[in-house]
Amino acid sequence: MIMVLLIVLYLSAPALSKLCNQDKQVLLQIKKELGNPTKLSSWLPTTDYCDTIWEGVACVTDSNNQTCRVDILYLSHLNLPKPYPIPPSIGNLPYLNYLYLIDTNFFGAIPSSIANLTNLNYLNITYTNVSGTIPDFLSHIKTLVSIDFSYNNLSGNLPASLSSLPNLGEMIFTGNRISGAIPDSFGSFSEELILMRLSRNRLTGKIPATLAKLNLRFLDLSRNMLEGDASVLFGSEKDTVQINLGKNNLAFDLGKVEFSEILAILDLRHNRIYGTLPQGLTALKHLTKLNVSNNNLCGEIPQGGNLQRIKVNSYAHNKCLCGSPLPACTLVN
């Protein structure tokens, strides 16, 4: 039986070879555009990228089971001898579903050829030196589920057109130099969007009231220069698990805010938030991390729930916040 299987595999090998050559020249061109890095030494013209191991390449068979096409391109830690731009040839991989370019010294703008990847679901360009603006052409790739551009040198404004992506579930732009206001259109994202991380940028202005329409599970706008009312981001009807607004210039009455019942992490430190801590915080069974330090809060910390388990420094440096775990409130006659 084993011998029969070996014969079948041997006879089918030439056919598989033909089926797995559709994207070979594109991959070899990508390798060339990167200066033939050592880590891609497995990319050889004499082998097939689907039935041998090519570093960072995985394949999928088309719907007719006729050809193998590149489905995943994962290029990380390439240790290029000098900075290179992202290879424009990547846009010639029409079946690409996952594109990961990680921790490599790419430079320059994100190439417009990526707009040709009309089947792309996951776009991850992180820890590189790419610069320029977040490209508006991303709005044309309607299949996108996740965009992660964290820790690059991107600048300019957030493209308002991103909200037209019908399937986008994750948007991560942490650690860039993005400036300007959050577009009003960001309140028009579909219900698929559950994660938005825009922290460690240079965003300014007020948080748009339109964001009240979003039901985000994870939101991080920390370490920007946002100001004004952020209460639109909260609500008892939402499914928020984590919200981080720390180190901005936000100012609103926290005492009037209602929270998601599954909220686990709330970080509001270093703002100008005023009012009292809401009694509703005591009902949050999943709340494990809370930081409201360095604000203008006043009054007694509500007793109950997990609030007394929170570290003292998470309540520190407020106007007149008191009560366990802080010192007791002083009675005024």
Side-chain angles (χ1 to χ4, degrees):
M1 184 65 182
I2 295 176
M3 183 60 68
V4 172
L5 180 59
L6 290 174
I7 292 172
V8 170
L9 290 174
Y10 175 79
L11 292 176
S12 62
L16 286 173
S17 179
K18 292 180 182 179
L19 294 177
C20 292
N21 282 321
Q22 294 284 334
D23 296 322
K24 180 186 288 187
Q25 291 308 312
V26 175
L27 292 173
L28 293 175
Q29 180 62 28
I30 291 171
K31 180 182 177 182
K32 180 180 179 181
E33 291 173 4
L34 291 174
N36 298 304
T38 302
K39 193 169 183 180
L40 301 185
S41 59
S42 59
W43 293 22
L44 298 172
T46 55
T47 61
D48 296 321
Y49 57 81
C50 285
D51 52 2
T52 58
I53 299 175
W54 281 35
E55 176 72 29
V57 177
C59 298
V60 65
T61 305
D62 69 10
S63 57
N64 296 319
N65 205 32
Q66 295 297 310
T67 57
C68 291
R69 307 301 297 264
V70 176
D71 177 52
I72 300 173
L73 185 62
Y74 191 103
L75 303 180
S76 68
H77 302 85
L78 291 185
N79 296 318
L80 301 177
K82 64 177 184 179
Y84 282 87
I86 294 173
S89 296
I90 287 175
N92 296 325
L93 297 171
Y95 283 78
L96 202 62
N97 188 359
Y98 302 82
L99 175 58
Y100 295 90
L101 305 173
I102 300 173
D103 206 359
T104 296
N105 55 335
F106 295 117
F107 79 97
I110 297 172
S112 59
S113 60
I114 286 180
N116 298 328
L117 302 175
T118 55
N119 290 302
L120 193 65
N121 287 165
Y122 296 87
L123 176 58
N124 186 314
I125 302 174
T126 57
Y127 293 93
T128 78
N129 290 315
V130 296
S131 56
T133 60
I134 296 171
D136 192 66
F137 65 68
L138 294 177
S139 63
H140 301 304
I141 311 175
K142 300 301 183 184
T143 52
L144 280 171
V145 171
S146 175
I147 304 172
D148 188 348
F149 289 163
S150 53
Y151 296 101
N152 296 296
N153 287 316
L154 296 169
S155 58
N157 297 336
L158 294 166
S161 60
L162 291 179
S163 61
S164 67
L165 292 170
N167 302 302
L168 194 66
E170 299 178 350
M171 181 173 65
I172 307 170
F173 298 145
T174 300
N176 284 279
R177 294 182 292 114
I178 302 166
S179 59
I182 298 173
D184 286 343
S185 65
F186 273 30
S188 301
F189 276 104
S190 76
E191 61 183 13
E192 299 297 322
L193 188 72
I194 61 170
L195 185 151
M196 181 189 295
R197 299 195 189 280
L198 306 177
S199 62
R200 296 176 183 269
N201 280 288
R202 301 174 182 179
L203 297 173
T204 57
K206 297 182 178 181
I207 294 174
T210 56
L211 266 58
K213 302 174 186 176
L214 300 180
N215 186 11
L216 299 170
R217 294 192 179 184
F218 304 93
L219 174 64
D220 191 349
L221 301 179
S222 64
R223 297 175 185 266
N224 282 288
M225 294 175 280
L226 297 167
E227 59 188 32
D229 189 0
S231 61
V232 297
L233 302 173
F234 298 90
S236 58
E237 76 286 355
K238 296 182 183 291
D239 299 314
T240 311
V241 175
Q242 176 180 349
I243 184 164
N244 189 340
L245 305 177
K247 298 192 175 181
N248 281 286
N249 294 309
L250 300 168
F252 60 97
D253 187 347
L254 187 61
K256 297 180 179 179
V257 170
E258 295 183 347
F259 301 97
S260 158
E261 64 179 16
I262 59 173
L263 187 66
I265 298 174
L266 176 62
D267 191 343
L268 302 175
R269 61 184 149 172
H270 289 275
N271 280 286
R272 294 185 292 116
I273 300 168
Y274 55 90
T276 60
L277 285 179
Q279 184 67 35
L281 286 170
T282 63
L284 303 182
K285 299 178 181 178
H286 304 283
L287 186 66
T288 56
K289 292 185 179 181
L290 171 69
N291 196 329
V292 294
S293 63
N294 294 276
N295 279 288
N296 294 319
L297 295 169
C298 230
E300 184 175 7
I301 297 172
Q303 301 298 297
N306 294 323
L307 295 189
Q308 278 62 57
R309 298 187 182 97
I310 302 296
K311 294 180 179 179
V312 172
N313 59 7
S314 294
Y315 295 112
H317 304 293
N318 275 283
K319 186 177 180 180
C320 51
L321 205 58
C322 58
S324 178
L326 292 177
C329 298
T330 303
L331 295 176
V332 178
N333 294 327

